[in-house]
Amino acid sequence: MSKPRSLSLAAYRVLSWGMQNTASNGDIARPEGEVLWLHINAWERHRAVVDFCQRLQQTRPNLSVVLTAPPDADLTRWASSGYPLVNLPTEQTGAARAFLDHWQPDIGIWVGGGLMPNLITSAEERGIPLMLIEAQADVKIARGGRWLPDITRYTIDCFQTILCTTPEIARQIRRLGVASNKVQEAPPLHISPNPRPWPEDELIEVNHALSGRPVWLAAGVQDKEFISVLSAHRQAMRMLPRLALVLQVADVTEAGPLHRRLEAMDLRCTNWDESGTIEDMTQVILSAVPEDLGLWQRVSPVTFMGSSLERGAGGADPLIATALGSAVIHGPFVHSQQQLYDQLDRAGAARTVRSATELGDAVVELLAPDQAANMALAGWQIVTEGAPQADHLIDMIQDYLDQRSADDAST
């Protein structure tokens, strides 16, 4: 580190020493063994990061993970993941040191922008390998230090590996004076669903019971969506008389009342959870057990993702259905999974409907073998495109940790 940069950093730390710290991690103990500290700058990236961590731990089972969010992030918006999730301390010199003293991470990964100089430079000085992924040249400098030169460059230069999602960001970081060999282009992390296996004999038995009939799945359907789904099914049966609907309800307590409603509507229905049988004339297969969803997603070439046609629920996760080769239909109200649905829609792996009529038309159209196959292929490309990048990142993390272990053993 050159003298001017040392003076700038020293001055910055003095200026930011007395800032208030609002984060406290003392109630969460540091796990034993190796610890990965992974910071997520935006809650929208939380799920992809958690998915990546789960894949990483399959390779390195004894590695513990602690996730951090920005100091002002509302953690009630962040879904539970099974990993400790804490706010970073504010940009205060003493608080940064206390954070690192508590967690003593063996490696640190920062996702996105909002880089915090005190924390990052302190981690680098302790010899903690640091990686910046989905990089942005966005450094969160404390108010009193904005006039100091080189803080942005010095902060970013603390990372040993910097992965940028666009050539423009890579050029911007290199222009700061960061060594070119640190900066690479790489796509962002993607969620890679891993459906649990299903017994082959049961799958064969259900397919045999359906006898080659066309079938579609309505998954996670809310009670206020029942009429729309059943109306769409009646409409689709005019074109496909042997069509079967698997209706999987979001609330298990609705299964019994819905079965009685279906009988009153003169729809031939079987309650799979009670009988486990499908007859040749069955028109609706009612299911409420969440664990059976993997069976129906394998059987059905088309899946309507419920909890999306009416306001309120916010949509359900579509990726398992996509990974199992099902074309996805969904309503407009998917705000809780908006990025995923937008990605699938753009790729042609999903379709939006806004009414029962549109849903019935989409079911008939997408049950055509060529349409379903095209959407399934597009969906498969989405769920697998991030795998090479994740594998490459896992290899780099393994190398850093192995090298750190070797260095510790030699001292």
Side-chain angles (χ1 to χ4, degrees), residues 18 68 292:
T68 60
D292 285 346

Side-chain angles (χ1 to χ4, degrees), residues 165-295:
T165 56
T166 68
E168 292 75 19
I169 295 175
R171 284 194 295 269
Q172 182 183 5
I173 290 176
R174 290 190 183 104
R175 283 198 296 266
L176 291 171
V178 176
S180 293
N181 62 352
K182 291 185 176 185
V183 185
Q184 305 172 33
E185 292 177 36
L189 291 175
H190 290 277
I191 300 169
S192 301
N194 186 25
R196 68 181 182 90
W198 199 266
E200 190 67 23
D201 54 348
E202 185 175 359
L203 187 59
I204 292 172
E205 183 180 345
V206 170
N207 279 320
H208 178 73
L210 289 167
S211 304
R213 296 169 58 190
V215 57
W216 68 291
L217 166 66
V221 180
Q222 303 284 333
D223 56 352
K224 56 187 175 182
E225 297 175 311
F226 290 158
I227 292 299
S228 294
V229 169
L230 295 173
S231 298
H233 185 52
R234 283 190 181 277
Q235 175 185 328
M237 283 194 299
R238 299 190 192 108
M239 300 295 295
L240 301 168
R242 300 186 69 242
L243 179 65
L245 162 66
V246 179
L247 179 52
Q248 195 259 345
V249 298
D251 182 353
V252 296
T253 64
E254 293 286 345
L258 179 59
H259 194 183
R260 292 189 289 272
R261 286 173 63 183
L262 289 168
E263 291 175 337
M265 294 172 66
D266 197 27
L267 281 168
R268 292 183 289 276
C269 173
T270 184
N271 189 326
W272 175 262
D273 303 331
E274 294 180 357
S275 67
T277 59
I278 302 171
E279 299 179 355
D280 186 56
M281 300 302 290
T282 298
Q283 295 171 316
V284 179
I285 303 160
L286 188 60
S287 177
V289 177
E291 290 75 18
D292 285 346
L293 193 53
L295 168 65

Side-chain angles (χ1 to χ4, degrees), residues 374-389:
N374 289 338
M375 291 186 72
L377 177 60
W380 179 249
Q381 291 171 341
I382 289 292
V383 298
T384 58
E385 67 177 339
Q389 163 63 5

Side-chain angles (χ1 to χ4, degrees), residues 39-42 45 110-115 132-138:
H39 178 73
I40 313 166
N41 192 55
R45 305 302 298 138
W110 196 286
V111 183
L115 305 174
L132 175 60
I133 67 175
E134 302 180 15
Q136 299 176 28
D138 169 31

